[in-house]
Amino acid sequence: MSQRSYDSLPADLQQVIDDHSGLEWSLRAAEVYDEMIRQGREEAVEAGHEFVVIEDALEDPEWGPVLQQTIDDYLEDIGGSANDIYEAAMDLQQSCPV
């Protein structure tokens, strides 16, 4: 919801939104999704499916070019300063130990 839409609501409805959103609710939703992912992975393993993990996919010779093209196309579609923001985020990621 945009800030303008939120601001146009009466105070009682703003309170309902405030009471049911934010970090606490995001964490609750994340727990639900994490459990769904865990269950789905467990079911896939039981069904005999194999999981392939690709470390640093952008550097992978098969995945990298496709992913980079997808990123480039998306940033071009967004336009504006999207590329600068992406580059800044990538720089920050490189400077933060994982």
Side-chain angles (χ1 to χ4, degrees):
M1 170 180 287
S2 71
Q3 186 65 49
R4 187 175 73 197
S5 295
Y6 176 84
D7 291 343
S8 71
L9 295 172
D12 62 330
L13 293 181
Q14 288 179 354
Q15 189 62 51
V16 169
I17 291 171
D18 293 346
D19 290 345
H20 297 90
S21 63
L23 180 59
E24 179 183 344
W25 282 93
S26 293
L27 294 173
R28 285 185 186 186
E31 288 177 9
V32 171
Y33 287 117
D34 287 347
E35 179 59 19
M36 290 171 59
I37 290 168
R38 188 197 64 71
Q39 289 176 4
R41 185 182 256 302
E42 184 178 297
E43 290 172 12
V45 168
E46 288 173 2
H49 297 285
E50 178 183 350
F51 287 85
V52 177
V53 177
I54 300 171
E55 300 293 335
D56 201 1
L58 282 171
E59 297 301 321
D60 184 88
E62 292 183 40
W63 286 84
V66 174
L67 291 173
Q68 190 59 60
Q69 187 62 54
T70 302
I71 292 167
D72 293 343
D73 291 348
Y74 181 68
L75 293 173
E76 184 178 326
D77 285 347
I78 294 173
S81 59
N83 198 56
D84 293 336
I85 294 168
Y86 174 77
E87 292 299 327
M90 295 306 289
D91 289 344
L92 284 171
Q93 180 184 20
Q94 294 299 317
S95 68
C96 295
V98 178

